Coordinates of all heavy atoms in Angstrom, one line a residue:
M1 N 0.9 -42.6 -15.3 CA 2.4 -42.3 -15.2 C 2.8 -41.9 -13.8 O 1.9 -41.6 -13.0 CB 2.8 -41.3 -16.3 CG 2.6 -41.8 -17.7 SD 3.7 -43.0 -18.2 CE 5.2 -42.0 -18.5
K2 N 4.0 -41.7 -13.6 CA 4.5 -41.2 -12.3 C 4.0 -39.8 -12.0 O 3.8 -39.5 -10.9 CB 6.0 -41.3 -12.3 CG 6.6 -42.6 -12.0 CD 8.1 -42.6 -11.8 CE 8.6 -43.9 -11.4 NZ 10.1 -43.9 -11.2
M3 N 3.9 -39.0 -13.0 CA 3.5 -37.6 -12.8 C 2.1 -37.5 -12.2 O 1.9 -36.7 -11.3 CB 3.5 -36.9 -14.2 CG 3.5 -35.4 -14.1 SD 4.9 -34.7 -13.2 CE 4.4 -33.0 -13.1
K4 N 1.3 -38.4 -12.7 CA -0.1 -38.4 -12.2 C -0.1 -38.8 -10.7 O -0.9 -38.2 -9.9 CB -1.0 -39.4 -13.0 CG -2.5 -39.1 -12.9 CD -3.2 -40.0 -13.8 CE -4.7 -39.8 -13.7 NZ -5.5 -40.7 -14.5
Q5 N 0.7 -39.7 -10.4 CA 0.7 -40.2 -9.0 C 1.3 -39.0 -8.1 O 0.8 -38.8 -7.0 CB 1.7 -41.4 -8.9 CG 1.0 -42.7 -9.4 CD 2.0 -43.8 -9.3 OE1 3.2 -43.7 -9.3 NE2 1.4 -45.0 -9.2
F6 N 2.2 -38.3 -8.7 CA 2.9 -37.2 -8.0 C 1.8 -36.1 -7.7 O 1.7 -35.6 -6.6 CB 4.0 -36.7 -8.8 CG 4.7 -35.5 -8.2 CD1 5.5 -35.7 -7.0 CD2 4.7 -34.2 -8.7 CE1 6.2 -34.7 -6.4 CE2 5.3 -33.2 -8.1 CZ 6.1 -33.4 -7.0
I7 N 1.0 -35.8 -8.7 CA 0.0 -34.8 -8.6 C -1.1 -35.2 -7.6 O -1.5 -34.5 -6.7 CB -0.7 -34.5 -10.0 CG1 0.4 -33.8 -10.9 CG2 -1.9 -33.7 -9.8 CD1 -0.1 -33.6 -12.3
Q8 N -1.4 -36.5 -7.6 CA -2.4 -37.0 -6.7 C -1.9 -37.0 -5.3 O -2.6 -36.7 -4.3 CB -2.8 -38.5 -7.1 CG -3.8 -38.5 -8.2 CD -4.3 -39.9 -8.4 OE1 -3.7 -40.9 -8.0 NE2 -5.4 -40.0 -9.1
K9 N -0.6 -37.2 -5.1 CA 0.0 -37.1 -3.8 C -0.1 -35.7 -3.2 O -0.3 -35.5 -2.0 CB 1.5 -37.6 -3.9 CG 2.1 -38.0 -2.6 CD 3.5 -38.6 -2.8 CE 4.1 -39.1 -1.5 NZ 5.5 -39.6 -1.7
I10 N 0.1 -34.7 -4.1 CA 0.1 -33.3 -3.6 C -1.3 -32.9 -3.4 O -1.6 -32.3 -2.3 CB 0.7 -32.4 -4.7 CG1 2.2 -32.7 -4.8 CG2 0.5 -30.9 -4.3 CD1 2.9 -32.0 -6.0
F11 N -2.2 -33.2 -4.3 CA -3.6 -32.6 -4.2 C -4.5 -33.6 -3.5 O -5.7 -33.3 -3.3 CB -4.1 -32.2 -5.6 CG -3.3 -31.1 -6.2 CD1 -2.4 -31.3 -7.2 CD2 -3.6 -29.8 -5.7 CE1 -1.7 -30.2 -7.7 CE2 -2.9 -28.7 -6.3 CZ -2.0 -28.9 -7.3
G12 N -4.1 -34.8 -3.3 CA -4.9 -35.8 -2.6 C -5.8 -36.5 -3.7 O -5.8 -36.2 -4.8
S13 N -6.6 -37.5 -3.2 CA -7.3 -38.3 -4.1 C -8.5 -37.6 -4.8 O -9.1 -38.0 -5.7 CB -7.9 -39.5 -3.3 OG -8.7 -39.1 -2.3
K14 N -8.8 -36.4 -4.3 CA -9.9 -35.6 -4.8 C -9.5 -34.8 -6.1 O -10.3 -34.0 -6.5 CB -10.5 -34.6 -3.8 CG -11.2 -35.3 -2.6 CD -11.6 -34.2 -1.6 CE -12.1 -34.8 -0.3 NZ -12.4 -33.8 0.7
S15 N -8.3 -35.1 -6.6 CA -7.8 -34.2 -7.6 C -8.7 -34.2 -8.9 O -8.5 -33.3 -9.7 CB -6.4 -34.7 -8.0 OG -6.4 -36.0 -8.5
Q16 N -9.5 -35.2 -9.0 CA -10.4 -35.2 -10.2 C -11.5 -34.2 -10.1 O -12.0 -33.7 -11.1 CB -11.0 -36.6 -10.4 CG -10.0 -37.6 -11.0 CD -10.2 -39.0 -10.4 OE1 -10.7 -39.2 -9.3 NE2 -9.9 -40.0 -11.2
K17 N -11.9 -33.9 -8.9 CA -12.9 -32.8 -8.7 C -12.2 -31.4 -8.8 O -11.0 -31.3 -8.7 CB -13.5 -32.9 -7.3 CG -14.3 -34.2 -7.1 CD -15.0 -34.3 -5.8 CE -15.8 -35.5 -5.6 NZ -16.4 -35.6 -4.3
P18 N -13.1 -30.4 -9.1 CA -12.5 -29.1 -9.2 C -11.8 -28.7 -7.8 O -12.4 -29.0 -6.8 CB -13.7 -28.2 -9.4 CG -14.9 -29.1 -9.5 CD -14.5 -30.5 -9.4
P19 N -10.7 -28.1 -7.9 CA -9.9 -27.8 -6.7 C -10.7 -26.8 -5.8 O -10.4 -26.8 -4.6 CB -8.6 -27.1 -7.2 CG -8.9 -26.8 -8.6 CD -10.0 -27.7 -9.1
S20 N -11.6 -26.0 -6.3 CA -12.2 -25.0 -5.5 C -13.0 -25.7 -4.4 O -13.3 -25.0 -3.3 CB -13.2 -24.2 -6.3 OG -14.2 -25.0 -7.0
G21 N -13.4 -26.9 -4.5 CA -14.2 -27.6 -3.5 C -13.4 -27.8 -2.2 O -14.0 -27.9 -1.2
D22 N -12.1 -27.9 -2.4 CA -11.2 -28.1 -1.2 C -10.8 -26.9 -0.5 O -10.3 -27.0 0.6 CB -10.0 -28.8 -1.7 CG -10.3 -30.3 -2.2 OD1 -11.3 -30.8 -1.8 OD2 -9.5 -30.8 -2.9
I23 N -11.1 -25.7 -1.1 CA -10.7 -24.5 -0.4 C -11.8 -24.0 0.5 O -12.9 -23.9 0.1 CB -10.4 -23.4 -1.5 CG1 -9.2 -23.8 -2.4 CG2 -10.1 -22.0 -0.8 CD1 -9.0 -22.9 -3.6
P24 N -11.4 -23.7 1.8 CA -12.4 -23.3 2.7 C -13.1 -22.0 2.3 O -12.4 -21.1 1.7 CB -11.6 -23.0 4.0 CG -10.3 -23.7 3.8 CD -10.1 -23.8 2.4
A25 N -14.4 -21.9 2.5 CA -15.1 -20.7 2.0 C -14.6 -19.4 2.7 O -14.4 -18.4 2.1 CB -16.6 -20.9 2.3
K26 N -14.3 -19.6 4.0 CA -13.8 -18.4 4.7 C -12.3 -18.6 5.1 O -12.0 -19.7 5.6 CB -14.6 -18.1 6.0 CG -16.0 -17.6 5.7 CD -16.8 -17.4 7.0 CE -18.2 -17.0 6.7 NZ -19.0 -16.8 7.9
P27 N -11.5 -17.6 4.9 CA -10.1 -17.7 5.3 C -10.0 -17.7 6.8 O -10.9 -17.2 7.5 CB -9.5 -16.4 4.7 CG -10.6 -15.5 4.5 CD -11.8 -16.3 4.2
S28 N -9.0 -18.4 7.3 CA -8.8 -18.4 8.8 C -8.6 -17.0 9.3 O -8.2 -16.1 8.6 CB -7.6 -19.3 9.1 OG -6.4 -18.6 8.7
R29 N -8.8 -16.9 10.6 CA -8.7 -15.6 11.2 C -7.2 -15.0 11.1 O -7.0 -13.8 10.8 CB -9.0 -15.7 12.7 CG -9.0 -14.3 13.4 CD -9.8 -14.4 14.7 NE -9.9 -13.1 15.3 CZ -10.7 -12.1 15.0 NH1 -11.5 -12.3 14.0 NH2 -10.7 -11.0 15.6
K30 N -6.3 -15.9 11.2 CA -4.9 -15.5 11.1 C -4.6 -15.0 9.7 O -4.0 -13.9 9.5 CB -4.0 -16.7 11.3 CG -2.6 -16.4 11.8 CD -1.9 -17.7 12.2 CE -0.5 -17.4 12.7 NZ 0.2 -18.6 13.1
M31 N -5.2 -15.7 8.7 CA -5.0 -15.3 7.3 C -5.7 -14.0 7.1 O -5.2 -13.1 6.4 CB -5.7 -16.4 6.4 CG -5.4 -16.2 4.9 SD -3.6 -16.4 4.5 CE -3.7 -16.0 2.8
Q32 N -6.9 -13.8 7.6 CA -7.6 -12.5 7.5 C -6.8 -11.3 8.0 O -6.7 -10.3 7.3 CB -9.0 -12.6 8.2 CG -10.2 -12.5 7.3 CD -11.4 -12.7 8.1 OE1 -11.5 -13.2 9.2 NE2 -12.5 -12.4 7.4
T33 N -6.3 -11.5 9.2 CA -5.5 -10.5 9.8 C -4.3 -10.1 8.9 O -4.0 -9.0 8.7 CB -4.9 -10.9 11.2 OG1 -6.0 -11.4 11.9 CG2 -4.3 -9.8 11.9
M34 N -3.7 -11.2 8.3 CA -2.5 -10.9 7.5 C -3.0 -10.2 6.2 O -2.3 -9.2 5.8 CB -1.9 -12.3 7.1 CG -0.4 -12.2 6.8 SD 0.3 -13.8 6.6 CE 0.0 -14.1 4.8
M35 N -4.1 -10.6 5.7 CA -4.6 -9.9 4.5 C -4.9 -8.4 4.8 O -4.6 -7.5 4.0 CB -5.9 -10.6 3.9 CG -5.6 -12.0 3.4 SD -4.5 -12.0 2.0 CE -5.7 -11.5 0.7
E36 N -5.5 -8.2 5.9 CA -5.8 -6.8 6.3 C -4.5 -6.0 6.4 O -4.4 -4.9 6.0 CB -6.6 -6.8 7.6 CG -8.0 -7.0 7.4 CD -8.7 -7.3 8.8 OE1 -8.2 -6.8 9.8 OE2 -9.8 -7.9 8.8
M37 N -3.5 -6.6 7.1 CA -2.2 -5.9 7.2 C -1.7 -5.6 5.8 O -1.2 -4.5 5.6 CB -1.3 -6.8 8.0 CG -1.4 -6.6 9.5 SD -0.4 -7.8 10.4 CE 1.2 -7.2 9.9
L38 N -1.7 -6.5 4.9 CA -1.2 -6.3 3.6 C -1.9 -5.2 2.9 O -1.3 -4.3 2.3 CB -1.2 -7.6 2.8 CG -0.2 -8.7 3.2 CD1 -0.5 -9.9 2.4 CD2 1.2 -8.2 2.8
S39 N -3.3 -5.3 2.9 CA -4.0 -4.2 2.2 C -3.9 -2.9 2.9 O -3.8 -1.9 2.2 CB -5.5 -4.6 2.2 OG -6.1 -4.7 3.5
N40 N -3.7 -2.8 4.2 CA -3.5 -1.6 4.9 C -2.2 -1.0 4.4 O -2.1 0.2 4.1 CB -3.5 -1.8 6.4 CG -4.8 -1.9 7.0 OD1 -5.8 -1.5 6.3 ND2 -4.9 -2.3 8.2
T41 N -1.2 -1.8 4.4 CA 0.1 -1.3 3.9 C 0.1 -0.7 2.5 O 0.6 0.3 2.3 CB 1.2 -2.5 4.0 OG1 1.1 -3.1 5.2 CG2 2.6 -2.0 3.7
R42 N -0.7 -1.4 1.7 CA -0.8 -0.9 0.3 C -1.5 0.4 0.3 O -1.2 1.3 -0.5 CB -1.5 -2.0 -0.6 CG -0.5 -2.8 -1.3 CD -1.1 -3.8 -2.2 NE -1.9 -3.1 -3.3 CZ -2.6 -3.7 -4.1 NH1 -2.8 -5.0 -4.1 NH2 -3.3 -3.1 -5.1
E43 N -2.6 0.5 1.1 CA -3.4 1.7 1.0 C -2.6 2.9 1.7 O -2.8 4.0 1.3 CB -4.7 1.5 1.8 CG -5.8 0.9 0.9 CD -7.0 0.6 1.7 OE1 -7.3 1.5 2.5 OE2 -7.7 -0.4 1.4
E44 N -1.8 2.6 2.7 CA -1.3 3.7 3.4 C 0.0 4.2 2.9 O 0.6 5.1 3.4 CB -1.1 3.2 4.9 CG -2.4 3.3 5.7 CD -2.2 2.8 7.1 OE1 -1.0 2.7 7.5 OE2 -3.1 2.5 7.8
E45 N 0.6 3.5 1.9 CA 1.8 4.0 1.4 C 1.7 4.4 -0.1 O 1.3 3.7 -1.0 CB 2.9 2.9 1.5 CG 3.2 2.7 3.0 CD 4.4 1.8 3.2 OE1 5.0 1.4 2.2 OE2 4.7 1.6 4.4
L46 N 2.1 5.6 -0.3 CA 2.1 6.2 -1.7 C 3.5 6.0 -2.2 O 4.5 6.0 -1.5 CB 1.8 7.7 -1.6 CG 0.4 8.0 -1.1 CD1 0.2 9.6 -1.0 CD2 -0.7 7.4 -1.9
T47 N 3.6 6.0 -3.5 CA 4.9 6.0 -4.2 C 5.4 7.4 -4.3 O 4.6 8.4 -4.1 CB 4.8 5.4 -5.6 OG1 4.0 6.3 -6.4 CG2 4.2 4.0 -5.6
C48 N 6.6 7.6 -4.6 CA 7.2 9.0 -4.7 C 6.4 9.7 -5.8 O 6.2 10.9 -5.7 CB 8.7 8.9 -5.0 SG 9.6 8.3 -3.6
D49 N 6.1 9.0 -6.9 CA 5.4 9.7 -8.0 C 4.0 10.2 -7.5 O 3.6 11.3 -7.9 CB 5.2 8.7 -9.1 CG 6.5 8.5 -9.9 OD1 7.4 9.3 -9.8 OD2 6.5 7.5 -10.7
E50 N 3.3 9.4 -6.7 CA 2.0 9.8 -6.3 C 2.2 11.0 -5.3 O 1.3 11.9 -5.3 CB 1.3 8.6 -5.6 CG 0.9 7.6 -6.5 CD 0.4 6.3 -5.8 OE1 1.0 6.0 -4.8 OE2 -0.5 5.6 -6.3
V51 N 3.2 11.0 -4.5 CA 3.4 12.1 -3.6 C 3.8 13.4 -4.4 O 3.3 14.5 -4.1 CB 4.5 11.8 -2.6 CG1 4.9 13.0 -1.8 CG2 4.0 10.7 -1.6
F52 N 4.6 13.2 -5.4 CA 5.0 14.4 -6.2 C 3.8 15.0 -6.8 O 3.6 16.2 -6.9 CB 6.0 14.0 -7.3 CG 7.4 14.0 -6.9 CD1 8.2 12.9 -7.0 CD2 8.0 15.1 -6.3 CE1 9.5 12.8 -6.6 CE2 9.3 15.1 -5.9 CZ 10.1 14.0 -6.0
A53 N 2.8 14.1 -7.3 CA 1.6 14.6 -7.9 C 0.7 15.4 -6.9 O 0.0 16.3 -7.3 CB 0.8 13.4 -8.5
L54 N 0.8 15.1 -5.7 CA 0.0 15.7 -4.7 C 0.7 16.8 -3.9 O 0.0 17.6 -3.2 CB -0.5 14.7 -3.6 CG -1.5 13.6 -4.1 CD1 -1.6 12.4 -3.1 CD2 -2.8 14.2 -4.4
L55 N 2.0 16.9 -4.2 CA 2.8 17.8 -3.3 C 2.4 19.3 -3.5 O 2.4 20.0 -2.5 CB 4.3 17.6 -3.6 CG 5.2 17.8 -2.4 CD1 4.8 17.0 -1.2 CD2 6.6 17.4 -2.8
D56 N 2.1 19.7 -4.7 CA 1.7 21.1 -4.9 C 0.5 21.5 -4.0 O 0.5 22.5 -3.3 CB 1.2 21.3 -6.4 CG 2.5 21.5 -7.3 OD1 3.6 21.7 -6.7 OD2 2.3 21.4 -8.5
Q57 N -0.5 20.6 -4.1 CA -1.7 20.8 -3.3 C -1.4 20.8 -1.8 O -1.9 21.6 -1.1 CB -2.7 19.7 -3.7 CG -4.2 20.0 -3.4 CD -5.0 18.8 -3.6 OE1 -4.6 17.8 -4.3 NE2 -6.2 18.8 -3.1
F58 N -0.6 19.8 -1.4 CA -0.3 19.6 0.0 C 0.4 20.9 0.5 O 0.1 21.4 1.6 CB 0.7 18.4 0.1 CG 1.1 18.1 1.5 CD1 0.3 17.2 2.2 CD2 2.2 18.6 2.0 CE1 0.7 16.9 3.5 CE2 2.6 18.3 3.3 CZ 1.8 17.4 4.1
T59 N 1.4 21.4 -0.3 CA 2.1 22.6 0.1 C 1.3 23.8 0.2 O 1.4 24.6 1.2 CB 3.3 22.8 -0.9 OG1 4.0 21.6 -1.1 CG2 4.3 23.8 -0.3
E60 N 0.4 24.0 -0.8 CA -0.5 25.1 -0.7 C -1.5 25.1 0.5 O -1.7 26.1 1.1 CB -1.4 25.2 -2.0 CG -0.6 25.9 -3.1 CD -1.5 25.9 -4.4 OE1 -2.7 26.0 -4.3 OE2 -0.9 25.8 -5.5
L61 N -2.0 23.9 0.8 CA -2.9 23.8 1.9 C -2.1 24.1 3.2 O -2.6 24.8 4.1 CB -3.4 22.4 2.0 CG -4.5 22.1 1.0 CD1 -4.9 20.6 0.9 CD2 -5.8 22.8 1.2
A62 N -0.9 23.6 3.3 CA 0.0 23.8 4.5 C 0.2 25.3 4.6 O 0.2 25.8 5.7 CB 1.3 23.0 4.4
A63 N 0.5 26.0 3.5 CA 0.8 27.4 3.5 C -0.4 28.2 4.0 O -0.3 29.3 4.6 CB 1.2 27.9 2.1
Q64 N -1.6 27.7 3.7 CA -2.9 28.3 4.1 C -3.2 28.0 5.6 O -4.3 28.4 6.1 CB -4.0 27.9 3.2 CG -3.9 28.5 1.8 CD -4.8 27.7 0.8 OE1 -5.7 27.0 1.2 NE2 -4.5 27.9 -0.5
G65 N -2.4 27.2 6.2 CA -2.6 26.9 7.6 C -3.5 25.8 7.8 O -4.0 25.6 8.9
E66 N -3.8 25.0 6.7 CA -4.7 23.9 6.9 C -4.0 22.7 7.6 O -2.7 22.7 7.6 CB -5.2 23.4 5.5 CG -6.0 24.4 4.7 CD -7.4 24.6 5.3 OE1 -7.8 23.7 6.0 OE2 -8.0 25.6 4.9
D67 N -4.7 21.9 8.2 CA -4.2 20.7 8.9 C -3.9 19.6 7.9 O -4.6 18.7 7.8 CB -5.1 20.3 10.0 CG -4.5 19.2 10.9 OD1 -3.3 18.8 10.6 OD2 -5.2 18.7 11.7
V68 N -2.7 19.8 7.2 CA -2.4 18.8 6.1 C -2.2 17.4 6.6 O -2.5 16.4 5.9 CB -1.2 19.3 5.3 CG1 -1.7 20.4 4.3 CG2 -0.1 19.7 6.2
A69 N -1.7 17.3 7.8 CA -1.4 15.9 8.4 C -2.7 15.2 8.5 O -2.8 14.0 8.5 CB -0.7 16.1 9.7
H70 N -3.8 16.0 8.7 CA -5.1 15.4 8.9 C -5.8 15.2 7.5 O -6.5 14.2 7.3 CB -6.0 16.2 9.8 CG -7.3 15.6 10.1 ND1 -7.4 14.5 10.9 CD2 -8.5 16.0 9.7 CE1 -8.7 14.2 11.0 NE2 -9.4 15.1 10.3
L71 N -5.6 16.2 6.7 CA -6.3 16.2 5.4 C -5.7 15.2 4.4 O -6.3 14.5 3.6 CB -6.3 17.6 4.8 CG -7.1 18.7 5.4 CD1 -6.8 20.0 4.8 CD2 -8.6 18.3 5.2
M72 N -4.3 15.2 4.4 CA -3.6 14.3 3.5 C -2.6 13.5 4.3 O -1.4 13.6 4.1 CB -3.0 15.1 2.4 CG -3.9 15.9 1.6 SD -3.2 17.1 0.5 CE -2.8 16.1 -0.9
P73 N -3.1 12.6 5.1 CA -2.2 11.8 6.0 C -1.2 10.9 5.3 O -0.1 10.7 5.7 CB -3.1 11.0 6.9 CG -4.4 10.9 6.1 CD -4.5 12.2 5.3
L74 N -1.6 10.5 4.1 CA -0.7 9.6 3.3 C 0.5 10.3 2.8 O 1.6 9.8 2.8 CB -1.5 8.9 2.2 CG -2.7 8.1 2.6 CD1 -3.3 7.4 1.3 CD2 -2.3 7.1 3.6
V75 N 0.2 11.6 2.4 CA 1.4 12.4 1.9 C 2.3 12.7 3.1 O 3.5 12.6 3.0 CB 0.8 13.7 1.2 CG1 2.0 14.5 0.8 CG2 0.0 13.3 0.0
Q76 N 1.6 13.1 4.2 CA 2.4 13.5 5.4 C 3.3 12.3 5.8 O 4.5 12.4 6.1 CB 1.4 13.9 6.5 CG 2.1 14.2 7.8 CD 2.9 15.5 7.7 OE1 2.4 16.6 7.4 NE2 4.2 15.4 8.0
H77 N 2.6 11.1 5.8 CA 3.4 9.9 6.2 C 4.6 9.6 5.3 O 5.6 9.3 5.8 CB 2.4 8.7 6.1 CG 3.0 7.4 6.4 ND1 3.5 7.0 7.6 CD2 3.3 6.3 5.6 CE1 4.0 5.8 7.6 NE2 3.9 5.4 6.3
H78 N 4.3 9.8 4.0 CA 5.4 9.6 3.1 C 6.6 10.6 3.3 O 7.7 10.2 3.2 CB 4.9 9.6 1.6 CG 5.9 9.3 0.6 ND1 6.0 8.0 0.1 CD2 6.9 10.0 0.1 CE1 7.0 8.0 -0.8 NE2 7.6 9.1 -0.8
L79 N 6.2 11.8 3.5 CA 7.2 12.8 3.8 C 8.0 12.5 5.0 O 9.2 12.8 5.1 CB 6.6 14.2 3.9 CG 5.9 14.8 2.6 CD1 5.2 16.1 2.9 CD2 7.0 15.0 1.5
D80 N 7.4 11.9 6.0 CA 8.1 11.6 7.2 C 9.1 10.4 6.9 O 10.1 10.3 7.6 CB 7.1 11.1 8.3 CG 6.3 12.2 8.8 OD1 6.7 13.4 8.7 OD2 5.2 12.0 9.4
M81 N 8.8 9.6 5.9 CA 9.6 8.4 5.7 C 10.7 8.7 4.6 O 11.7 8.0 4.6 CB 8.7 7.3 5.2 CG 7.6 7.0 6.1 SD 8.1 6.4 7.7 CE 8.6 4.7 7.3
C82 N 10.4 9.6 3.6 CA 11.2 9.7 2.4 C 11.9 11.0 2.3 O 11.3 12.1 2.2 CB 10.2 9.5 1.2 SG 11.1 9.6 -0.3
D83 N 13.2 10.9 2.4 CA 14.1 12.1 2.3 C 13.9 12.9 1.0 O 13.9 14.1 1.0 CB 15.5 11.7 2.5 CG 15.8 11.3 3.9 OD1 15.1 11.6 4.8 OD2 16.9 10.6 4.2
D84 N 13.9 12.1 -0.1 CA 13.8 12.8 -1.4 C 12.5 13.7 -1.5 O 12.6 14.8 -1.9 CB 13.7 11.7 -2.5 CG 15.0 11.0 -2.7 OD1 16.0 11.6 -2.2 OD2 15.0 9.9 -3.3
C85 N 11.4 13.1 -1.1 CA 10.2 13.9 -1.2 C 10.1 15.0 -0.1 O 9.6 16.1 -0.4 CB 9.0 13.0 -1.0 SG 8.7 11.8 -2.4
R86 N 10.8 14.8 1.0 CA 10.8 15.8 2.0 C 11.6 17.0 1.5 O 11.3 18.2 1.7 CB 11.4 15.3 3.3 CG 11.2 16.3 4.5 CD 11.3 15.6 5.8 NE 12.6 14.8 5.9 CZ 12.7 13.6 6.2 NH1 11.6 12.9 6.6 NH2 13.8 12.9 6.3
D87 N 12.7 16.7 0.8 CA 13.5 17.8 0.2 C 12.7 18.6 -0.8 O 12.7 19.8 -0.9 CB 14.8 17.2 -0.5 CG 15.8 16.8 0.5 OD1 15.7 17.1 1.7 OD2 16.7 16.0 0.2
E88 N 12.0 17.8 -1.6 CA 11.1 18.4 -2.7 C 10.1 19.3 -2.0 O 9.8 20.4 -2.5 CB 10.5 17.3 -3.5 CG 9.7 17.8 -4.7 CD 10.6 18.4 -5.8 OE1 11.8 18.1 -5.8 OE2 10.1 19.2 -6.6
Y89 N 9.5 18.8 -0.9 CA 8.5 19.6 -0.2 C 9.1 20.9 0.4 O 8.4 21.9 0.3 CB 7.9 18.7 1.0 CG 7.0 19.5 1.9 CD1 5.9 20.1 1.4 CD2 7.3 19.6 3.2 CE1 5.0 20.8 2.3 CE2 6.5 20.3 4.1 CZ 5.4 20.9 3.6 OH 4.5 21.6 4.5
K90 N 10.3 20.8 0.9 CA 10.9 22.0 1.4 C 11.1 23.1 0.4 O 10.9 24.3 0.6 CB 12.3 21.6 2.1 CG 12.1 21.0 3.5 CD 13.4 20.6 4.0 CE 13.3 19.8 5.3 NZ 14.5 19.2 5.8
V91 N 11.5 22.6 -0.8 CA 11.7 23.5 -2.0 C 10.4 24.2 -2.3 O 10.3 25.4 -2.4 CB 12.3 22.8 -3.2 CG1 12.3 23.7 -4.4 CG2 13.7 22.3 -2.9
L92 N 9.3 23.4 -2.5 CA 8.0 23.9 -2.8 C 7.5 24.8 -1.7 O 6.9 25.9 -2.0 CB 7.0 22.7 -3.0 CG 7.0 22.0 -4.3 CD1 6.1 20.8 -4.3 CD2 6.6 23.0 -5.4
E93 N 7.7 24.4 -0.5 CA 7.3 25.2 0.7 C 7.9 26.6 0.6 O 7.2 27.6 0.8 CB 7.7 24.5 2.0 CG 7.0 25.0 3.2 CD 7.4 24.2 4.4 OE1 8.6 23.8 4.5 OE2 6.6 24.0 5.3
R94 N 9.2 26.7 0.3 CA 9.8 28.0 0.1 C 9.3 28.8 -1.0 O 9.0 30.0 -0.9 CB 11.3 27.8 -0.1 CG 12.2 28.9 0.5 CD 13.7 28.5 0.5 NE 13.9 27.3 1.3 CZ 15.1 26.6 1.3 NH1 16.0 26.9 0.4 NH2 15.2 25.6 2.1
I95 N 9.0 28.2 -2.1 CA 8.4 28.8 -3.3 C 7.0 29.4 -2.9 O 6.7 30.6 -3.2 CB 8.3 27.9 -4.5 CG1 9.7 27.5 -5.0 CG2 7.5 28.5 -5.6 CD1 9.7 26.3 -6.0
V96 N 6.2 28.6 -2.3 CA 4.9 29.0 -1.9 C 4.9 30.2 -0.9 O 4.2 31.1 -1.0 CB 4.0 27.8 -1.4 CG1 2.7 28.3 -0.8 CG2 3.8 26.8 -2.5
A97 N 5.8 30.1 0.0 CA 6.0 31.1 1.0 C 6.4 32.4 0.4 O 5.9 33.5 0.9 CB 7.0 30.6 2.1
N98 N 7.2 32.4 -0.6 CA 7.7 33.6 -1.3 C 6.6 34.2 -2.1 O 6.5 35.4 -2.2 CB 8.9 33.3 -2.2 CG 10.2 33.1 -1.3 OD1 10.2 33.5 -0.2 ND2 11.2 32.5 -1.9
V99 N 5.7 33.4 -2.7 CA 4.7 33.9 -3.5 C 3.6 34.6 -2.7 O 3.1 35.6 -3.0 CB 4.1 32.7 -4.4 CG1 2.7 33.2 -5.0 CG2 5.0 32.3 -5.4
T100 N 3.3 33.9 -1.6 CA 2.2 34.5 -0.8 C 2.6 35.5 0.3 O 3.7 35.9 0.5 CB 1.4 33.4 0.0 OG1 2.4 32.5 0.6 CG2 0.6 32.6 -1.0
Ligands
LIG1 ZN1 9.2 9.7 -1.8

């Protein structure tokens, strides 16, 4: 039928073979770089929920004079980017400062 011709046009005459045979074993360098960028972005960015979960610890460490930007760079990065979490951090910071 026409559909079969259409599929063959898209996938080429090798369409009867498993498609995996046509995929290069190694991604191109450009593709690899893009994948790295994507995975880096995912690893380096926390959601607000994740930051909230870590914020207690982060604030306590900061209050103890620890280098939190080095110990928890992802949280620090998020606080630099996100006003909501920064506000929350300021509140916690004040609480911790009053307690200690
Ligand atoms: Zn946030």
Side-chain angles (χ1 to χ4, degrees):
M1 297 286 283
K2 277 188 176 180
M3 194 62 186
K4 196 173 181 184
Q5 285 178 334
F6 180 67
I7 291 170
Q8 279 187 342
K9 201 174 179 181
I10 295 172
F11 293 103
S13 57
K14 292 177 186 173
S15 63
Q16 283 147 331
K17 292 182 180 179
S20 60
D22 290 340
I23 298 169
K26 288 180 182 176
S28 69
R29 186 160 181 80
K30 204 173 182 181
M31 190 65 183
Q32 242 175 346
T33 309
M34 207 172 87
M35 293 297 282
E36 277 170 25
M37 276 173 65
L38 285 173
S39 62
N40 280 346
T41 306
R42 265 184 63 186
E43 274 178 37
E44 281 178 14
E45 289 190 4
L46 299 177
T47 65
C48 290
D49 284 344
E50 287 168 328
V51 170
F52 275 125
L54 292 167
L55 210 53
D56 280 348
Q57 202 186 342
F58 183 89
T59 312
E60 274 180 36
L61 287 170
Q64 289 163 18
E66 298 287 342
D67 187 2
V68 283
H70 185 71
L71 289 171
M72 301 170 84
L74 300 186
V75 177
Q76 179 67 59
H77 174 71
H78 187 97
L79 291 176
D80 289 341
M81 307 294 287
C82 178
D83 288 340
D84 289 343
C85 290
R86 193 161 51 232
D87 286 347
E88 186 70 18
Y89 171 59
K90 281 175 186 169
V91 172
L92 277 174
E93 198 177 30
R94 210 169 298 167
I95 294 168
V96 169
N98 284 342
V99 167
T100 47

